[in-house]
Amino acid sequence: MASYGMVIDLRSCVGCQACSAACALENQTPYWSDKWRTKVKDIQTGQYPNTGRYFVPTICMHCEEPACMTVCPSKATFKNDDGFVLVNYDTCLGCKACMAACPYGARYVYDKNDVRQAKEVYGEAAQHTKVHIDKCTFCQDRIARGMEPACVSTCPTISRMVGDLDDPASAVAKAVSSGLAKPLRPDLGTNPRVYYIF
Amino acid sequence: MAKPMHLEHQEAYEWPVSVYLFFGGFGGALIALAFIFHFFAATQPMIGLSVISGLVLFAIAGMFLVFFDLERPLNAVYSLNNFTKSGISWDVILIVLNYIGAILYVLPEYPNLPIIGGIGQALAPFQLFFGAIGASAGFLFPIISGGLLAGPESIPLWHTPALPLLYLVTSFELGLAFIGSLFPVSGLVFTAFTGGIFALSLLTFGISFAYLEHTHNGPVEAKEGMHRMLKTFRFVLLYPLLGVLFPLVLSAYLLFGGAVSGWEFPALAATLFLGGFAVRNCVILNGIETYPWPY
């Protein structure tokens, strides 16, 4: 089994939010409630005249040691064979323990208003028919078909790369092993599989 | 417009969870205290009213608020049946044990009630056994629920053993002041109540200080969360001043021979009530902050 990971290059991200839009269309995320599986944060640092500004695309880190999975009382949050952290919509209680535990703010409630709206917008094709806690799936269905996640294939500046972290020849593995790409908050012990180049 | 760097609040837990933690601990403490008083020949009204108050508070906390805070509460039944080892499941098991134990414990105290009185008479030989179950569950509830918050390393403001201890001690402190304000106590009993509140106030002070130290030396989220709380006038007034220092000073004054005029226990109960809720609510709301990007 491949161990998929993602590298996001902050040096080239322009904050266009194309990834958010592509993800919303692919995964029917409730954009009408301003809830996204991936969103680009617009960060300003420092004080005049020493200021900085950069864009940080946020996404579920699909951690090796996911805090969200540990706290889930119904085991609705689980890791599949490829290491993706997923949610079983049928057994999710909606208790929000995973939302509180996630240090990356990667989860949100797909509430009853969102489910109703999704049915109105997508009709029979609606993917989310039950209230649940929602998050990025790494577009695992696209990965299974040999495609890249929607956010990766859409990025106009090629700031996102996806690949097998166990394959030394992959661009993702090279960026990580060289130390160029780093995880966010490694001190929290969650071992994220999404890395950033600063 | 770019935003300056700031902590990002996650819309996860709101006030119902604070109320659950607060009334759950308070209700559990009342039941446990009634059971303890039983051994010191407490009167029937004291035991009965304490347990019934505890049950009512526990019902508000354990059933309604948390149940309705779940997005899909019926799935909880599935969860409890299949994953009994999860922390939240243990919490629910304790709540159920607390209910059953406390109800069966208090029934023999009312032998003259129709129907219930007869059942109570039949249960009388086992009263202490059921009391022990209810009291143990009431004692463990603040520890387990505080432990659930303190567990995940990813929320540094909560990730400390001080939190379950703080919930336990403040619950019992409030329970003692509440019972003291419901029933007129005097003489040795008054001294015991005052001494108990003084000792628990000292523990609360020590644990709060340890918690402050933990957050001050902890990760940036813990430090920022605590700074934010300490900059909130409402929190500073309700918890450190009214919830910790006031009970400590007043109970010390009473313990060392100060004049008693009857308003002391209600005042202690009121301030501990406000302080106890404030600390739970503020810790909940300020804990769910993420600061994932480099700083």
Side-chain angles (χ1 to χ4, degrees):
Chain A
M1 284 294 171
S3 176
Y4 288 100
M6 187 183 285
V7 168
I8 301 175
D9 192 344
L10 300 188
R11 298 171 302 181
S12 54
C13 178
V14 293
C16 68
Q17 305 280 5
C19 49
S20 307
C23 173
L25 288 174
E26 176 72 25
N27 299 300
Q28 301 183 359
T29 60
Y31 56 85
W32 47 82
S33 305
D34 195 22
K35 296 172 183 172
W36 310 85
R37 287 185 180 182
T38 183
K39 195 172 183 184
V40 183
K41 289 189 184 296
D42 187 344
I43 309 294
Q44 183 179 290
T45 58
Q47 288 186 328
Y48 179 82
N50 301 313
T51 57
R53 184 185 184 193
Y54 59 106
F55 303 101
V56 182
T58 58
I59 190 172
C60 170
M61 302 286 155
H62 292 274
C63 308
E64 297 283 356
E65 307 292 335
C68 54
M69 195 172 87
T70 312
V71 299
C72 179
S74 63
K75 304 285 183 273
T77 295
F78 65 101
K79 276 171 79 173
N80 74 358
D81 292 339
D82 287 325
F84 298 136
V85 180
L86 303 172
V87 179
N88 182 340
Y89 300 160
D90 291 327
T91 56
C92 175
L93 310 183
C95 69
K96 308 182 200 85
C98 54
M99 288 172 63
C102 175
Y104 305 105
R107 290 173 170 249
Y108 61 87
V109 184
Y110 211 111
D111 62 28
K112 58 178 186 262
N113 292 328
D114 296 327
V115 169
R116 189 173 58 238
Q117 185 76 21
K119 283 177 182 167
E120 284 176 16
V121 173
Y122 300 108
E124 290 291 311
Q127 297 170 11
H128 303 276
T129 55
K130 292 173 181 170
V131 172
H132 61 275
I133 306 299
D134 199 40
K135 63 177 280 300
C136 161
T137 60
F138 224 84
C139 286
Q140 54 149 349
D141 50 336
R142 288 171 64 97
I143 294 268
R145 283 181 278 147
M147 300 164 72
E148 291 178 325
C151 58
V152 175
S153 62
T154 306
C155 182
T157 57
I158 319 178
S159 296
R160 295 186 184 224
M161 291 184 289
V162 69
D164 186 355
L165 290 167
D166 289 341
D167 177 7
S170 74
V172 169
K174 283 178 183 169
V176 172
S177 61
S178 68
L180 183 64
K182 295 184 173 66
L184 292 185
R185 299 305 305 274
D187 55 309
L188 295 176
T190 51
N191 296 335
R193 298 203 302 172
V194 174
Y195 295 81
Y196 289 82
I197 300 175
F198 301 101
Chain B
M1 178 79 185
K3 292 177 183 171
M5 285 182 80
H6 64 292
L7 290 166
E8 192 82 5
H9 182 68
Q10 296 198 63
E11 301 293 334
Y13 293 152
E14 297 298 338
W15 65 269
V17 175
S18 317
V19 178
Y20 160 72
L21 288 171
F22 178 60
F23 281 137
F26 182 19
L30 284 176
I31 293 162
L33 285 169
F35 180 68
I36 293 167
F37 295 154
H38 200 129
F39 292 101
F40 295 97
T43 56
Q44 179 265 334
M46 186 180 268
I47 293 171
L49 200 55
S50 301
V51 174
I52 290 166
S53 312
L55 278 169
V56 170
L57 295 173
F58 224 112
I60 294 169
M63 266 175 105
F64 296 107
L65 285 169
V66 165
F67 198 69
F68 288 115
D69 196 49
L70 297 175
E71 295 289 335
R72 288 168 70 188
L74 292 180
N75 270 12
V77 178
Y78 170 84
S79 166
L80 281 174
N81 283 332
N82 292 279
F83 306 109
T84 49
K85 287 181 180 171
S86 78
I88 290 180
S89 299
W90 279 113
D91 222 19
V92 176
I93 289 165
L94 283 177
I95 290 171
V96 172
L97 280 178
N98 187 82
Y99 274 131
I100 295 170
I103 289 169
L104 298 181
Y105 169 63
V106 80
L107 280 182
E109 295 293 323
Y110 298 96
N112 299 324
L113 288 176
I115 305 171
I116 294 172
I119 299 169
Q121 291 290 73
L123 293 173
F126 309 103
Q127 189 186 20
L128 286 180
F129 170 72
F130 291 124
I133 291 175
S136 305
F139 182 82
L140 286 172
F141 176 81
I143 298 178
I144 298 273
S145 51
L148 280 175
L149 292 183
E153 194 181 354
S154 50
I155 309 175
L157 187 67
W158 299 351
H159 187 58
T160 162
L163 215 52
L165 280 176
L166 191 66
Y167 289 173
L168 178 73
V169 173
T170 51
S171 297
F172 275 74
E173 195 181 352
L174 173 58
L176 210 51
F178 181 75
I179 295 172
S181 60
L182 280 184
F183 301 97
V185 287
S186 57
L188 202 59
V189 181
F190 181 86
T191 311
F193 267 61
T194 318
I197 293 173
F198 177 68
L200 292 171
S201 298
L202 273 178
L203 276 173
T204 306
F205 184 80
I207 296 166
S208 302
F209 194 75
Y211 187 36
L212 192 68
E213 274 292 301
H214 159 81
T215 53
H216 185 68
N217 297 311
V220 67
E221 288 95 340
K223 199 183 295 184
E224 288 283 326
M226 181 55 77
H227 283 179
R228 188 179 293 193
M229 283 198 283
L230 292 175
K231 283 176 188 168
T232 312
F233 175 73
R234 189 186 56 171
F235 173 75
V236 174
L237 175 71
L238 294 181
Y239 183 63
L241 295 180
L242 288 180
V244 180
L245 290 178
F246 178 77
L248 186 63
V249 172
L250 183 57
S251 57
Y253 170 74
L254 294 173
L255 196 60
F256 295 107
V260 180
S261 46
W263 56 268
E264 292 84 0
F265 277 118
L268 282 170
T271 53
L272 286 167
F273 188 93
L274 293 172
F277 182 73
V279 71
R280 284 160 180 80
N281 195 39
C282 289
V283 167
I284 282 281
L285 295 183
N286 286 286
I288 317 171
E289 305 281 348
T290 58
Y291 208 170
W293 41 87
Y295 50 89

